[in-house]
């Protein structure tokens, strides 16, 4: 989960909700794939953070008893394996995109543990097989995945409240066309801009649901879980404008 400290306590955005926001952003790009592939790309964006494990031990808390942000978690081979198994039920294209995402996130962990190396090797082998079977060039698969990664990054910027102050620009990531993109908000509480503008519409809105916790510390994961179930939910919205 994404954890933001706000005046009222903690603002919690589940990673699956952040992924749905990434899919909303991707939906606004002009399609450059056949319809079946485009829908598969949307599905991969919306589901790229699924299959999270149940909380065990201090999975949900910091040592001080605060809700733990997802960046504080170690790589979960179990979650990554479940994610790939779930993707395969939707076909090779969804599997290829999900596998590329896992490679991008975790290739830097190579050499730490034999089981992680084995998982990463399996991803590279499967990617090669799926590209061959789908008659895709590596550049074509990489272009589609780059858009997923771009939308994932912009969604995280929004969810983690990382928009710079005073109208300064922040790099998002290079897009599927190789261009560099930046995001900024020229006026406080005004519309968000992306430069250069990549979307179909000149103005649109996206949203994500967040849970607000007034309690700052928790004894254990069960107390946190109960608080999350009872806490109020707010909808965060962003207007994006050319």
């Amino acid at each position: 989960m994404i954890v933001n400290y706000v005046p009222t306590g903690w603002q919690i955005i589940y990673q699956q909700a952040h992924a749905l926001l990434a899919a909303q952003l991707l939906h606004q790009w002009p399609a450059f794939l056949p319809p079946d592939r485009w829908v598969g790309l949307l599905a991969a964006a919306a589901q790229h953070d699924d299959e999270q494990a149940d909380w065990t031990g201090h999975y949900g808390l910091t040592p001080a008893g605060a809700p733990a942000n997802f960046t504080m978690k170690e790589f979960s081979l179990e979650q990554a394996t479940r994610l790939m198994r779930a993707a395969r039920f939707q076909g090779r294209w969804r599997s290829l995109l999900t596998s590329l995402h896992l490679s991008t996130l975790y290739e830097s962990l190579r050499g730490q543990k034999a089981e992680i190396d084995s998982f990463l090797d399996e991803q590279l082998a499967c990617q090669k097989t799926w590209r061959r079977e789908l008659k895709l060039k590596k550049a074509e698969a990489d272009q589609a995945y780059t858009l997923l990664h771009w939308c994932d990054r912009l969604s995280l910027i929004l969810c983690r409240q990382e928009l710079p102050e005073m109208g300064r620009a922040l790099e998002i990531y290079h897009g599927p066309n190789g261009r560099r993109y930046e995001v900024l908000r020229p006026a406080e509480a005004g519309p968000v801009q992306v430069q250069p503008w990549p979307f179909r519409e000149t103005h649109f809105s996206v949203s994500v649901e967040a849970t607000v916790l007034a309690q700052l510390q928790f004894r254990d994961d069960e107390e946190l879980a109960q608080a999350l179930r009872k806490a109020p939910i707010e909808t965060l919205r962003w207007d994006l404008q050319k």
Side-chain angles (χ1 to χ4, degrees), residues 2 4 10-14 209-213 227-234:
I2 297 167
N4 297 315
W10 300 114
Q11 182 188 78
I12 308 293
I13 300 173
Y14 294 114
E209 288 192 349
T211 302
V212 182
L213 296 174
L228 286 168
R229 285 192 289 267
K230 298 176 182 178
I233 296 173
E234 62 180 6

Side-chain angles (χ1 to χ4, degrees), residues 21-31 38 147 150-152 154-155 158 172 176-177 179 181-183 192-206 238-242:
L21 175 57
Q24 293 176 50
L25 293 165
L26 196 156
H27 178 64
Q28 291 294 332
W29 273 73
W38 191 251
L147 178 54
W150 188 95
C151 294
D152 179 42
L154 181 53
S155 174
L158 298 176
I172 302 170
N177 51 13
R179 300 180 70 178
Y181 289 88
E182 295 181 334
V183 61
V192 175
Q193 294 181 7
V194 174
Q195 298 177 348
W197 185 256
F199 303 110
R200 293 191 320 271
E201 306 293 334
T202 58
H203 180 271
F204 64 94
S205 298
V206 293
W238 296 270
D239 291 327
L240 283 82
Q241 183 173 306
K242 186 173 181 179

Side-chain angles (χ1 to χ4, degrees), residues 40-51 75 79-106 119-120 122-124 126-127 130 134 141 144-146 148-149 152:
L41 180 58
L42 282 165
Q47 298 169 314
H48 75 266
D49 271 336
D50 283 2
E51 303 299 322
F75 167 64
Q79 185 256 340
T81 301
R82 284 202 306 265
L83 183 60
M84 284 308 307
R85 287 174 180 168
R88 291 180 184 182
F89 285 106
Q90 289 190 318
R92 293 168 295 182
W93 174 235
R94 159 79 201 285
S95 297
L96 174 58
L97 294 167
T98 303
S99 180
L100 287 169
H101 185 61
L102 294 174
S103 288
T104 299
L105 292 181
Y106 302 121
F119 176 81
L120 293 171
E122 180 184 4
Q123 298 317 302
L124 294 177
C126 287
Q127 290 163 22
W130 289 325
L134 294 170
Y145 170 68
T146 296
L148 188 158
H149 190 79
D152 179 42

